[in-house]
């Protein structure tokens, strides 16, 4: 069986992983998040420079973790889009150089397909039909997935503006909580009352798109609430918990609605926001009530990582998919239709 190396550099994390026949052999991750904290968000040029510095050490750390040597690698997969252009270029260049040096095929893959494939490393192959909810800093999407590598992936909906993870970052800043906002709000919300502030669930009206997402208005609602004189009985933790409950309720409700609409009995939730404790617990509760099988990867595989890219590369290799073209380039924006790019 071919050992597939996966490289991920779409944002601020340099990830390298090795997968063979659906099994994660080892991986390593380097994050530049500490360098972005003072800016309150990811600065593309800083992220790109960090990828350059971290790439070779992260490759070696992943090889060591997997107990492999370079001659063991039989194919290279890399995130070719979407993502930050300068960050993507670093990963694509590294992957092309590695594949050329080893004389092995190169596969450019879609970042979101990698997120979906991450679940297969833990729970095995996806069923014939499943709904995949991707919730991250850059994406909030509902997908109908039949086969990750053989058939086109059907986009059921995307966010109209801010992604869920982006809203977490912006609301954390409004509440004076540190970046990144997702973990900060999750921790703070544990001490709060999720019913303290009733924020309106976005796009849940009868005339709204049934599966549509929008979080810009919710962010603005929190901003207005914070700006006015606060009820002394409502703490920052209460506001954080109320906001988090609103997001979790919205994404889980829409995901289950998609399952009913498409007559699917498996829901897969992936992406950085899938690591949120309330999203996970609410999804578990509602899927159990609805008789829907819920699949969520472990937290470390929810955020960007090289293992998920190796996983989708491994599926492509095992399916006999042709490699990407030699002049594969990075694409900062590209719709998810097929897992392989280029």
């Amino acid at each position: 069986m071919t050992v597939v190396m996966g490289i991920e550099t779409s944002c601020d994390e340099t990830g390298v992983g090795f997968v063979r026949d659906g099994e994660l052999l080892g991986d390593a991750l380097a994050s530049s998040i500490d360098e972005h904290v003072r800016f309150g968000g990811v600065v593309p040029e800083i992220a790109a420079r960090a990828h350059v510095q971290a790439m070779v050490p992260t490759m070696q750390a992943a090889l060591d973790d997997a107990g492999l040597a370079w001659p063991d690698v039989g194919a290279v997969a890399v995130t070719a889009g979407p993502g930050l252009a300068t960050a993507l270029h670093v990963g694509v260049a590294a992957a092309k150089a590695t594949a050329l040096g080893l004389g092995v095929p190169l596969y450019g893959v879609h970042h979101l397909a990698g997120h979906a494939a991450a679940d297969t490393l833990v729970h095995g192959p996806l069923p014939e039909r499943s709904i995949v909810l991707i919730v991250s800093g850059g994406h909030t999407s509902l997908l109908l997935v039949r086969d990750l590598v053989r058939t086109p992936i059907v986009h059921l909906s995307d966010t109209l503006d801010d992604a869920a993870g982006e809203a977490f970052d912006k609301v954390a800043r409004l509440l004076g909580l540190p970046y990144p906002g997702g973990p900060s709000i999750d921790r703070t919300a544990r001490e709060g009352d999720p019913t303290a502030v009733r924020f309106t669930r976005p796009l849940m009206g009868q005339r709204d798109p049934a599966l549509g997402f929008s979080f810009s208005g919710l962010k603005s609602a929190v901003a207005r609430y914070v700006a006015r004189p606060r009820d002394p009985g409502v703490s920052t933790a209460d506001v954080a918990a109320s906001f988090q409950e609103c997001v979790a309720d919205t994404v889980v409700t829409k995901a289950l609605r998609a399952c009913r609409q498409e007559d699917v009995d498996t829901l897969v939730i992936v992406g950085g926001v899938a690591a949120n404790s309330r999203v996970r617990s609410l999804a578990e509760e509602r899927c159990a009530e609805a008789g829907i099988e819920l699949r969520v990867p472990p937290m470390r595989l929810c955020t960007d990582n090289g293992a998920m890219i190796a996983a989708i590369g491994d599926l492509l290799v095992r399916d006999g998919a042709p490699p990407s073209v030699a002049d594969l380039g990075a694409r900062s924006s590209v719709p998810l239709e097929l897992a392989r790019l280029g």
Side-chain angles (χ1 to χ4, degrees), residues 114-284:
H115 272 302
D119 182 73
T120 67
L121 295 174
V122 181
H123 299 121
L126 293 177
E128 290 185 3
R129 299 174 77 249
S130 60
I131 293 295
V132 177
L133 169 64
I134 298 178
V135 273
S136 66
H139 307 276
T140 305
S141 306
L142 279 167
L143 313 173
L144 173 60
V145 177
R146 298 181 179 88
D147 186 293
L148 271 174
V149 298
R150 293 182 181 178
T151 59
I153 295 167
V154 180
H155 251 95
L156 299 176
S157 70
D158 288 294
T159 183
L160 301 177
D161 39 61
D162 290 352
E166 184 179 1
F168 269 94
D169 286 338
K170 291 178 177 178
V171 168
R173 190 180 311 167
L174 291 170
L175 298 179
L177 300 176
Y179 176 84
S184 296
I185 287 180
D186 200 352
R187 287 191 300 269
T188 304
R190 292 170 191 168
E191 306 299 323
D193 177 5
T195 65
V197 185
R198 177 65 186 182
F199 291 117
T200 301
R201 275 48 175 167
L203 293 188
M204 294 290 265
Q206 291 186 346
R207 296 185 179 182
D208 293 322
L211 303 181
F213 295 107
S214 170
F215 295 103
S216 179
L218 174 59
K219 172 207 65 183
S220 298
V222 177
R224 288 193 297 270
Y225 183 85
V226 171
R228 72 191 188 196
R230 180 128 18 126
D231 181 342
V234 178
S235 66
T236 296
D238 291 334
V239 179
S242 298
F243 163 76
Q244 179 176 264
E245 187 69 17
C246 183
V247 174
D249 184 21
T250 299
V251 299
V252 172
T253 296
K254 301 262 184 178
L256 289 177
R257 187 177 292 171
C259 289
R260 291 191 295 270
Q261 174 181 301
E262 300 298 330
D263 193 24
V264 169
D265 58 10
T266 301
L267 172 62
V268 183
I269 304 180
V270 295
V273 180
N276 178 269
S277 62
R278 184 53 182 155
V279 170
R280 296 171 83 96
S281 64
L282 188 61
E284 288 172 3

Side-chain angles (χ1 to χ4, degrees), residues 24-48:
L24 176 59
L25 304 177
D27 67 317
L29 188 71
S31 176
S32 61
I33 196 167
D34 290 343
E35 299 180 45
H36 305 284
V37 169
R38 64 192 177 103
F39 300 103
V42 177
V43 180
E45 290 303 324
I46 292 177

